[in-house]
Amino acid sequence: MAAPEEQDLTQEQTEKLLQFQDLTGIESMEQCRLALEQHNWNMEAAVQDRLNEQEGVPSVFNPPPSRPLQGLLGWGYYLIMLPFRFTYYTILDIFRFALRFIRPDPRSRVTDPVGDIVSFMHSFEEKYGRAHPVFYQGTYSQALNDAKRELRFLLVYLHGDDHQDSDEFCRNTLCAPEVTSLINSRMLFWACSTNKPEGYRVSQALRENTYPFLAMIMLKDRRMTVVGRLEGLIQPDDLINQLTFIMDANQTYLVSERLEREERNQTQVLRQQQDEAYLASLRADQEKERKKKEERERKRRKEEEVQQRKLAEERRRQNLQEEKERKLEGLPPEPSPDDPESVKIIFKLPNDSRVERRFHFSQSLTVIHDFLFSLKESPEKFQIEANFPRRVLPCVPSEEWPTPPTLQEAGLSHTEVLFVQDLTDE
């Protein structure tokens, strides 16, 4: 099947284009596209209009001889009649073409194709009963689509209401139990009266000669093709033999198409499995990469945190050292041992070392704290305790002692031993 010549079609339009070509048999892809564009890509409307065309357009199908020809006699008869049939159809087409301009056929306008089918089914059952092959309840194009999709034979029956053989055929042949059983078990069955617009359009496509008319249609060489035509009154046994012969002769095409579809489906399934496996592998790789990235990011943040802690610790130590130096520089001079107002204090540090210094009675306890704080071996946070009586000296401002007392106010004597308690970890 030819591919669309234009490159600007959507995928959906391309599929409709190929499907329309299948249903109509138009060789020119450009003509198919123009027909669909005239109907705004409405497949149903385009196919129905195609069926209504009567002059100078190839048929949807490739009709074979009316029934299987057997032997040289049949072939000779066919060759002899061929010029007459050609002349007959040519004159008939010219007549129909001229007649359409003089008096348009009211059946040429299809407004409710499904309604036409349902109406025919009801009238058929009222006249011949409900024991009949199962009618396809849809349009002709829908029946073609389903037969193609399901790879089934489609038997089309066109009913001529005014023909003398129609009544006998429907009552004695079409409704015969063995005929009904064969049709229901092996094919789809679509039927309509040619007095209905939908049936009339189909008759224009199939070009029947007389009634009753049956056409067997199937997917052949990837196109829906008429593979058998039965015209005129026929008995049940003959109809069964004819239909069976046609199906047996063309069964290989359906088998071949089924195999091709199965192979295409398997290929599609395999490709889908490969795609899924690739996507699963891709997702696994992406997940691994994501985890690696997260681990790298976690390590980076941890290293940054360690580095920041180090920097903070260095800054803290540097600030502490600078504070110690400021405290040391701010200490008042140490009084001389001869000064009667001096106090000798021995400090016992947490590391069991001792430090000794003199202070003045009038100096604040804060001076004692600043002195200890300025020492390298003293802890960062500490409190000063006296033993007799045992108490904590208020060396730094607090709610109870906004202004720390002097050494004299704190009750210190000329010689004192004070203990430094480490509060760094508290």
Side-chain angles (χ1 to χ4, degrees):
M1 187 178 297
E5 297 175 359
E6 299 293 335
Q7 300 297 322
D8 56 351
L9 297 177
T10 65
Q11 180 67 25
E12 181 181 1
Q13 290 174 338
T14 301
E15 292 177 356
K16 285 187 176 181
L17 193 62
L18 297 175
Q19 186 180 16
F20 181 77
Q21 188 183 48
D22 268 353
L23 297 177
T24 60
I26 299 177
E27 296 292 341
S28 172
M29 190 63 70
E30 182 63 24
Q31 187 177 352
C32 292
R33 175 173 177 168
L34 290 175
L36 286 170
E37 287 178 345
Q38 289 173 356
H39 295 84
N40 295 323
W41 293 91
N42 186 317
M43 174 68 69
E44 180 71 18
V47 172
Q48 291 293 343
D49 267 1
R50 171 61 185 167
L51 296 178
N52 189 42
E53 294 181 2
Q54 302 180 31
E55 69 283 353
V57 179
S59 172
V60 173
F61 311 101
N62 303 314
S66 61
R67 51 173 56 91
L69 300 177
Q70 302 179 3
L72 295 176
L73 181 61
W75 280 106
Y77 174 79
Y78 174 77
L79 293 175
I80 291 173
M81 294 301 297
L82 182 61
F84 297 98
R85 290 169 64 88
F86 177 78
T87 303
Y88 169 77
Y89 283 123
T90 302
I91 294 175
L92 182 62
D93 285 344
I94 295 174
F95 175 76
R96 287 175 175 174
F97 179 76
L99 186 62
R100 202 173 84 172
F101 286 96
I102 299 173
R103 183 176 62 84
D105 195 318
R107 296 174 298 175
S108 62
R109 297 188 62 184
V110 178
T111 57
D112 184 14
V114 176
D116 293 342
I117 304 301
V118 174
S119 175
F120 169 71
M121 289 171 52
H122 290 164
S123 63
F124 186 95
E125 291 181 348
E126 289 177 359
K127 192 171 185 179
Y128 305 111
R130 301 177 65 87
H132 56 76
V134 177
F135 290 104
Y136 182 92
Q137 298 189 37
T139 66
Y140 176 63
S141 60
Q142 290 171 343
L144 287 175
N145 283 332
D146 283 351
K148 179 180 179 181
R149 177 173 53 83
E150 299 174 12
L151 292 179
R152 299 181 64 183
F153 290 99
L154 173 64
L155 183 62
V156 174
Y157 170 59
L158 295 178
H159 182 78
D161 293 87
D162 302 326
H163 196 275
Q164 59 185 3
D165 294 330
S166 295
D167 186 72
E168 180 180 352
F169 173 78
C170 291
R171 193 177 307 277
N172 299 328
T173 300
L174 191 58
C175 293
E178 59 272 25
V179 173
T180 298
S181 177
L182 175 66
I183 293 176
N184 289 343
S185 62
R186 299 195 60 183
M187 63 197 78
L188 296 177
F189 181 64
W190 186 90
C192 192
S193 169
T194 55
N195 285 342
K196 303 290 184 182
E198 175 72 353
Y200 176 73
R201 284 192 176 187
V202 177
S203 72
Q204 298 302 298
L206 298 182
R207 307 288 180 88
E208 78 282 5
N209 295 318
T210 186
Y211 301 97
F213 174 81
L214 293 167
M216 183 72 83
I217 305 172
M218 62 169 287
L219 182 63
K220 182 177 180 180
D221 298 328
R222 298 191 177 184
R223 299 184 64 178
M224 295 303 288
T225 306
V226 173
V227 294
R229 298 165 65 94
L230 302 176
E231 299 180 79
L233 185 62
I234 185 171
Q235 298 303 313
D237 291 342
D238 290 337
L239 177 59
I240 291 174
N241 292 334
Q242 293 278 8
L243 294 179
T244 303
F245 177 86
I246 294 171
M247 288 188 292
D248 291 345
N250 293 278
Q251 189 67 34
T252 55
Y253 293 101
L254 291 184
V255 172
S256 175
E257 181 62 31
R258 288 192 184 97
L259 293 176
E260 288 184 10
R261 284 192 182 182
E262 183 177 355
E263 182 178 353
R264 288 196 297 269
N265 290 338
Q266 290 177 350
T267 302
Q268 183 177 1
V269 170
L270 178 60
R271 184 179 297 112
Q272 183 177 356
Q273 291 175 346
Q274 291 174 341
D275 291 343
E276 291 175 353
Y278 169 76
L279 290 176
S281 175
L282 180 61
R283 286 192 292 267
D285 292 342
Q286 291 174 342
E287 181 65 15
K288 289 180 181 179
E289 182 60 29
R290 184 187 65 80
K291 290 182 178 180
K292 289 181 180 179
K293 184 177 180 181
E294 289 181 352
E295 181 64 19
R296 290 194 298 267
E297 182 66 18
R298 187 187 64 81
K299 290 181 178 180
R300 184 188 64 80
R301 288 197 301 267
K302 186 175 181 180
E303 291 174 355
E304 287 183 353
E305 290 174 359
V306 172
Q307 186 66 23
Q308 289 175 357
R309 284 197 296 268
K310 288 181 178 180
L311 293 175
E313 180 64 19
E314 289 179 2
R315 285 195 298 268
R316 188 189 65 79
R317 290 179 180 178
Q318 183 177 357
N319 293 337
L320 181 62
Q321 183 61 33
E322 292 175 355
E323 182 67 16
K324 286 177 176 292
E325 292 175 358
R326 284 196 299 270
K327 295 294 185 182
L328 180 61
E329 293 175 356
L331 290 176
E334 182 176 4
S336 66
D338 299 333
D339 188 343
E341 297 297 321
S342 68
V343 178
K344 177 183 177 182
I345 301 178
I346 299 172
F347 298 97
K348 288 188 175 181
L349 301 178
N351 59 1
D352 294 332
S353 63
R354 294 189 176 198
V355 177
E356 181 180 318
R357 191 184 190 277
R358 289 183 177 275
F359 299 89
H360 200 278
F361 270 120
S362 62
Q363 292 175 344
S364 170
L365 290 178
T366 303
V367 176
I368 298 177
H369 185 276
D370 291 346
F371 166 72
L372 290 173
F373 182 80
S374 66
L375 297 178
K376 182 178 180 181
E377 59 271 30
S378 64
E380 294 182 18
K381 292 177 62 178
F382 58 88
Q383 66 183 13
I384 304 171
E385 298 177 356
N387 263 349
F388 303 105
R390 188 174 182 83
R391 65 193 186 279
V392 176
L393 300 179
C395 298
V396 293
S398 64
E399 291 183 2
E400 184 179 357
W401 295 95
T403 301
T406 64
L407 276 66
Q408 187 175 12
E409 292 172 343
L412 297 183
S413 59
H414 285 281
T415 302
E416 288 283 346
V417 176
L418 301 179
F419 298 87
V420 179
Q421 184 69 32
D422 190 353
L423 301 179
T424 304
D425 296 332
E426 296 183 5

